[in-house]
């Protein structure tokens, strides 16, 4: 039996464009034992799948030959890659603690070198090279005017300033298995231009190429920062209780069980549970919730959220590497490496397209002079321009840039999708099957009705709460919660005891009190016809009834139900507005299910076992529907697995990220519709990008053959299209849903 593949993840330094990713992908695939490679430009990362242990040094050397830095993700400073260069970034783009990016042996010709730690992009080596090349070109213009006889040579010298590092990278890429790289096309075009006497224009084209590369790097950095900026929400230090006082320690050193003090206005430095105090918590930076939530003892809080008005003591429940934000960042980085079907198609297309462009350029340069007696210099010039026009960079980046921006903007709003294929798949969803408990409903009962008879509502609630004190039963918790919310007094109960299958009884203020089911209450007190009808009516609404008997008389009724989430009805309506069928699948009794379904306007299937839910998902698919299943990710595992897209819904660290294809971090039913809308927005953006990339090339191809445009507009057609496509994709970061 074939051994399962293992995966090793790396962070890459200086990779800012699609051609960079393609070269790295090809080079690493050539190593022995490597089964698959996934590279993300926006995530600056690479995952290598391998059957036997991977030699990290070989991967490092292979990538370093191309001029990029590499380190194993999560490696400490003592790893082999990290030792290669001690001055590498500890706090590189994305705040990857403990990860370093090496700049291995590329020297000053390292075209794609990134900025040093804390440096702005304009202080990077790439910016320095671009500036040096531009300065050399300006100097050549001045020297050419002063010494006309030396003009060709000074422009040649200016050209070499930028062309030598480009040609070196072209050679390294060719040796690593990518002969048709943008650097190779650029080198051929520049050398060809020199041979036909267009040295000045060749030098200008190299400068424009370097400026375009610099702009690509800036755009890629912005895309990368869009999700990595989440990591910056977590404060660097925390106040920890130790030895009867508090000490300030680095947040990354917090351990599970530590108790931290969070002052008003501070960001919470770790996921945890409140053990003392209460406060309004602003979760907008993490979940997108616009209204702060009041939280108190035993309630969870997340790293990066803001404590508004009270001093809190919080027990840490997750280490820094596993808090909510770290998990979201890690999930999105991994998702960016999983290519969408459209992206895979574009990649395959570009591998044929680039050699095709070379062939077309060669034919344009050779055929007209040979067949029609055209001028050799003129047609060689046009052929060289076509090489630059035909570079596939803009086309190749059109899809991953939009996918990455979509994944990032979704993650910032609590919408997590495991890869481009999932994001792309949401646009095709035509049916959504929801679990009920904990998905469409809050997952815990609340008191919905108090009907008073021999006593007033406040007294009915107070007596019931007195009997339920100390109980952890969900119905007891609901009654105690309502008493607390209504500020009803809860007197002590004497001799309180549970009666199996019936209810609970005791003495409250000298009065014998019983709280239990209707039949059990009927054994202790006479119920009128009106009271029995009231019980039946509330039961018919899917509510659980408790009857309170005091001094041998029916004092009142308390109805409880697991109520729909506040936005459930609006979320169902939003899906219907998108033309999507909705159905509720639940194991609950039919009466309760139909009552909830009527409130929400959704089709209901009740009294189902897990295998029944899976069967119904299959039936919907056989009807030709693309089905998304929304549930808790655990009890609904069979149905989640059977659906076209499985969506786990939950809160914070409890969400079942590993089970489903996508996850909603906070329990908003509306977020399912938002995922569909985001998918459609991303695919529309990809269509725009492909139109821009191919449209510009088509226009400049025609104008070049007609002799209207030349080499420098050709390079603008390439780099300009790449920048336009990337900028268009970045618009998705402002998507609001």
């Amino acid at each position: 039996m074939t051994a399962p593949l293992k995966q090793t993840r790396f962070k890459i330094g200086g990779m800012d464009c699609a051609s960079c990713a393609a070269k790295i992908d090809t080079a690493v695939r050539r190593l022995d034992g490597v089964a698959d490679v996934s590279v993300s430009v926006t995530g600056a990362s690479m995952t290598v799948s391998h059957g036997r242990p991977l030699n990290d040094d070989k991967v490092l050397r292979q990538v370093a030959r191309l001029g990029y830095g590499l380190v194993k993700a999560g490696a400490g400073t003592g790893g082999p890659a990290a030792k290669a260069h001690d001055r590498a970034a500890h706090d590189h783009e994305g705040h990857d603690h403990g990860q370093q990016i090496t700049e291995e042996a590329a020297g000053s010709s390292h075209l794609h070198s990134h900025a040093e730690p804390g440096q702005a992009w304009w202080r990077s080596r790439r910016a320095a090279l671009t500036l040096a090349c531009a300065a050399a070109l300006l100097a050549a213009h001045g020297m050419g005017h002063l010494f006309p006889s030396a003009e060709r040579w000074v422009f040649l010298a200016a050209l070499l300033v930028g062309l030598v590092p480009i040609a070196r990278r072209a050679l390294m890429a060719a040796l690593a298995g990518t002969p048709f790289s943008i650097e190779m096309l650029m080198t051929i075009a520049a050398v060809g231009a020199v041979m036909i006497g267009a040295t000045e224009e060749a030098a200008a084209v190299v400068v424009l190429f370097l400026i375009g590369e610099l702009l690509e790097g800036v755009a890629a950095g912005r895309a990368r920062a869009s999700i990595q900026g989440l990591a910056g929400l977590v404060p660097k230090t925390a106040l920890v209780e130790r030895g009867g006082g508090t000490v300030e320690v680095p947040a990354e050193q917090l351990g599970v069980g530590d108790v931290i003090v969070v002052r008003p206005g501070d960001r919470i430095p770790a996921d945890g549970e409140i053990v003392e105090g209460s406060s309004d918590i602003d979760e907008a930076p993490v979940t997108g919730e616009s209204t702060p939530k009041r939280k108190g003892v035993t309630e969870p809080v997340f790293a990066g959220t803001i404590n508004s008005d009270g001093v809190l003591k919080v027990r840490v429940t997750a280490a820094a590497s596993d808090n909510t934000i770290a998990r979201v960042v890690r999930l999105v980085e991994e998702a960016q490496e999983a290519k969408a079907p459209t992206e895979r198609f574009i990649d395959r297309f570009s591998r044929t397209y680039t050699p095709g462009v070379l062939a077309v350029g060669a034919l344009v340069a050779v055929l007209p002079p040979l067949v029609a007696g055209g001028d050799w210099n003129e047609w060689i010039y046009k052929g060289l321009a076509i090489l630059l026009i035909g570079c596939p960079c803009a086309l190749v980046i059109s899809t991953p840039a939009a996918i990455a921006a979509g994944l990032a903007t979704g993650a910032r709003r609590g919408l997590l999708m495991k890869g481009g294929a999932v994001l792309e798949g949401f646009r095709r969803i035509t049916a959504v099957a929801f679990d009920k408990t904990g998905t469409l409903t809050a997952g815990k009962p609340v008191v919905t009705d108090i009907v008073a008879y021999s006593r007033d509502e406040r007294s009915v609630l107070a007596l019931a709460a007195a009997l339920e004190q100390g109980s952890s039963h969900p119905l007891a918790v609901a009654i105690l919660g309502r008493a607390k919310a209504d500020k009803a007094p809860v007197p002590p109960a004497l001799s309180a005891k549970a009666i199996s299958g019936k209810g609970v009884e005791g003495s409250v203020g000298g009065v014998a009190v019983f709280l239990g089911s209707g039949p059990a209450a009927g054994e202790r007190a006479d119920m009128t016809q009106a009271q029995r009808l009231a019980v039946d009516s509330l039961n018919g609404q899917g509510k659980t009834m408790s009857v309170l008997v005091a001094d041998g008389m029916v004092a009142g009724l308390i109805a409880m139900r697991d109520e729909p989430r506040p936005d459930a009805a609006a979320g169902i309506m939003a899906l219907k507005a998108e033309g999507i069928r909705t159905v509720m699948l639940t194991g609950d009794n039919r009466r309760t299910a139909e009552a909830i379904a009527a409130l929400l306007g959704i089709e209901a299937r009740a009294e189902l076992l897990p295998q029944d839910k899976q069967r119904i998902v299959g039936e919907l698919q056989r009807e030709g529907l693309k089905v998304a299943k929304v549930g808790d990710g655990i009890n609904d595992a069979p149905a989640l697995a059977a659906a076209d897209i499985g969506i786990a819904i939950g809160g914070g660290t409890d969400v079942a990220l590993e089970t489903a294809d996508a996850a909603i971090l906070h329990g908003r039913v509306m977020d399912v519709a938002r995922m569909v809308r985001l998918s459609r927005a991303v695919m529309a953006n990809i269509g725009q990008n492909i139109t821009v990339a191919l449209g510009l090339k088509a226009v400049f191809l025609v104008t070049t053959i007609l002799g209207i445009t030349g080499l420098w507009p050709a390079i603008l057609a390439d780099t300009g299209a790449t920048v336009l496509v990337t900028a268009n994709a970045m618009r998705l970061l402002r998507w609001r849903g």
Side-chain angles (χ1 to χ4, degrees), residues 60-281:
L60 171 65
R61 285 194 295 271
Q62 187 81 331
V63 175
R65 286 175 63 195
L66 298 173
Y68 305 99
L70 188 76
V71 70
K72 185 183 287 188
T77 55
K83 289 177 181 175
H85 215 302
D86 290 337
R87 66 180 175 82
H90 172 72
D91 193 17
H92 185 62
E93 288 177 329
H95 308 278
D96 292 301
H97 298 294
Q99 297 177 356
Q100 297 186 347
I101 306 298
T102 60
E103 297 179 28
E104 178 70 24
S108 61
S109 64
H110 186 163
L111 179 61
H112 283 257
S113 288
H114 56 296
E116 292 294 327
Q119 284 185 335
W121 61 266
W122 58 83
R123 298 178 62 188
S124 67
R125 290 185 182 177
R126 177 189 296 165
L129 176 62
T130 304
L131 186 61
C133 195
L137 180 61
L138 289 175
H141 272 290
M143 294 286 287
H145 283 296
L146 292 175
F147 308 102
S149 60
E151 184 178 43
R152 175 180 172 84
W153 300 106
V154 293
F155 276 113
L156 182 61
L159 169 67
L160 291 176
V161 171
L163 187 60
V164 168
I166 293 172
R168 178 188 178 280
R169 285 180 59 82
L171 177 61
M172 292 297 102
L175 292 175
T178 309
F180 302 116
S181 63
I182 174 58
E183 288 85 1
M184 183 63 76
L185 297 181
M186 184 71 232
T187 301
I188 293 171
V191 171
V194 170
M195 292 176 66
I196 61 173
T199 308
E200 180 179 355
E201 193 166 1
V205 164
V206 168
V207 172
L208 288 172
F209 173 78
L210 291 174
I211 291 172
E213 289 276 280
L214 189 62
L215 291 174
E216 285 180 33
V218 173
R222 286 190 59 196
R224 196 169 297 139
S226 66
I227 182 62
Q228 291 288 3
L230 279 174
L233 295 175
V234 181
K236 302 300 181 188
T237 60
L239 290 174
V240 185
E241 281 195 340
R242 284 181 187 164
T246 59
V247 295
E248 189 172 76
V249 302
E252 61 185 19
Q253 292 180 9
L254 291 174
V256 175
D258 282 346
V259 175
I260 56 177
V261 178
V262 186
R263 297 166 299 192
D266 285 355
R267 287 187 185 271
I268 297 171
D271 284 3
E273 180 181 271
I274 297 174
V275 294
E276 186 179 311
S278 65
S279 177
D280 285 335
I281 306 297

Side-chain angles (χ1 to χ4, degrees), residues 600-621:
L600 300 180
I602 188 174
E603 175 186 347
R605 309 276 187 93
E607 299 175 357
L608 303 174
L609 296 172
Q611 57 266 35
D612 296 324
K613 297 179 182 180
Q614 183 183 23
R615 172 180 52 79
I616 292 171
V617 167
E619 290 173 358
L620 293 171
Q621 290 170 324

Side-chain angles (χ1 to χ4, degrees), residues 650-663:
T653 56
D654 294 329
V655 71
L657 296 177
E658 302 304 321
T659 307
D661 303 303

Side-chain angles (χ1 to χ4, degrees), residues 522-574:
E523 297 172 3
R524 289 165 171 75
D526 291 330
M527 295 183 68
T528 67
Q529 183 65 19
Q531 290 168 349
R532 293 182 188 279
L533 288 174
V535 170
D536 290 342
S537 173
L538 291 167
N539 276 331
Q541 298 172 36
K543 297 176 181 178
T544 299
M545 292 300 307
S546 288
V547 180
L548 182 73
V549 177
D551 267 346
M553 298 177 62
V554 175
L557 311 177
I558 297 178
M560 289 162 282
R561 185 172 66 184
D562 181 11
E563 288 289 87
R565 293 181 184 272
D567 74 329
I572 298 299
M573 191 178 300

